[in-house]
Amino acid sequence: MFLKKSTEDAAAIIKDFGAETAEIFYQTFYEYRPEFSKALAPAIDGLDVCAVHALSSNFEPQLLSRSRRARGDGYYWLDQIMRSAQLLNCKRYIFHGGLNLKGGGGPDINELAGCIREAVLFCARYGVELSIENVSWSTYNRPGIFSELKSRIPELTGVFDIKQARRSGYPYQAYIRDMAGSISHVHLSDIDENGRICLPDKGIYDFGEIFRRLKDAGFDGSAVIEVYSKDYENVEELKRALDYINEIIYKIN
């Protein structure tokens, strides 16, 4: 509901919809601070905060820097977010990483894995699991990267985002296979016949097939609907999309 409702107001609406879980997307440095989450906690009481997410370009690239001072700046903000996650009793942090456009060589895989493992262990000290998301413009921008990292970081888990899979140009099925056995969280959206993002049940995706593939890959975690403010007109549409997804999950399970 970004740009339509504040995080605090959105929480009340989501609860009214009957949602049981939600992801908190911190958008600003102000929101990263524990003071914000402490004030937010009463508004989200009754919701399972399955994950927290940050505007990753603000600081996550610094976590992968060769400069210890740059990494120190990144870890300052990661520490703030970890303390915030604890206040919300949240056990998962969604990680993007650095900028890595398709076609770019990117960093050495061993060097990259070393930096990410450092972040994984840092989050674990707060009781929070770091999960890397497939993102077309970031670190995990093609199938195969996760399995390469996982072989070096056994604790690593993944977030499957169908929208970002499409934008990467690779089949979403390839990402599910790549993360099989380690998918902790899912971001859902749909596309219409013109390829524009829309809410589930307003597009062309077969969500029954998607969830069957996820189940076959061992997924038994949380899933949220993630679209942008321009992709729907009013919040009542979100309720219909939520009911649609819940019905599919019920039938599959």
Side-chain angles (χ1 to χ4, degrees):
M1 296 185 192
F2 179 58
L3 298 180
K4 289 183 183 287
K5 300 288 182 181
S6 69
T7 302
E8 304 92 313
D9 293 339
I13 294 170
I14 290 170
K15 285 193 289 187
D16 286 344
F17 286 169
E20 298 177 355
T21 188
E23 176 183 313
I24 302 298
F25 197 151
Y26 298 120
Q27 293 282 342
T28 68
F29 288 109
Y30 167 79
E31 292 181 350
Y32 298 161
R33 301 177 187 276
E35 291 80 2
F36 174 77
S37 289
K38 187 174 182 180
L40 176 64
I44 65 168
D45 184 46
L47 279 174
D48 172 30
V49 180
C50 59
V52 294
H53 200 321
L55 187 61
S56 56
S57 56
N58 278 346
F59 70 92
E60 283 187 0
Q62 279 79 1
L63 298 173
L64 307 181
S65 174
R66 291 181 175 178
S67 164
R68 171 54 66 176
R69 288 181 177 177
R71 290 204 302 277
D73 284 349
Y75 276 103
Y76 172 82
W77 290 109
L78 186 59
D79 170 75
Q80 295 289 294
I81 292 171
M82 290 301 101
R83 294 176 187 274
S84 297
Q86 286 182 320
L87 288 169
L88 302 180
N89 197 31
C90 176
K91 304 299 184 184
R92 181 174 301 110
Y93 172 67
I94 299 176
F95 178 77
H96 285 182
L99 180 67
N100 187 11
L101 298 178
K102 188 177 179 182
D108 174 79
I109 189 66
N110 291 312
E111 183 178 339
L112 176 64
C115 290
I116 293 178
R117 186 167 192 272
E118 184 179 5
V120 167
L121 296 178
F122 182 88
C123 294
R125 292 201 292 269
Y126 296 83
V128 177
E129 170 187 88
L130 183 149
S131 292
I132 188 168
E133 180 181 2
N134 65 285
V135 179
S136 61
W137 50 264
S138 195
T139 297
Y140 183 17
N141 66 346
R142 62 168 175 80
I145 290 177
F146 181 85
S147 53
E148 291 179 25
L149 291 172
K150 180 75 173 179
S151 68
R152 296 163 173 83
I153 316 169
E155 309 92 336
L156 188 65
T157 59
V159 176
F160 169 65
D161 187 311
I162 193 166
K163 166 180 76 276
Q164 292 292 343
R166 185 184 73 256
R167 288 178 170 179
S168 75
Y170 296 97
Y172 79 81
Q173 297 92 335
Y175 284 100
I176 292 177
R177 288 194 298 269
D178 191 36
M179 289 185 271
S182 300
I183 303 173
S184 65
H185 187 55
V186 169
H187 287 163
L188 299 171
S189 60
D190 209 337
I191 55 169
D192 64 20
E193 293 178 350
N194 297 312
R196 291 190 294 262
I197 301 173
C198 60
L199 288 167
D201 197 29
K202 288 196 170 186
I204 62 175
Y205 281 152
D206 182 344
F207 282 93
E209 178 187 354
I210 291 168
F211 275 103
R212 282 190 291 272
R213 288 182 179 274
L214 286 167
K215 186 176 182 179
D216 290 345
F219 172 67
D220 187 28
S222 53
V224 299
I225 297 169
E226 185 187 76
V227 295
Y228 304 118
S229 59
K230 62 180 175 57
D231 299 327
Y232 62 98
E233 294 295 329
N234 56 71
V235 295
E236 286 72 24
E237 294 177 63
L238 297 175
K239 167 64 171 164
R240 292 192 290 272
L242 174 65
D243 290 343
Y244 169 72
I245 291 296
N246 280 338
E247 182 179 356
I248 289 174
I249 293 173
Y250 176 78
K251 289 178 179 178
I252 290 176
N253 292 333

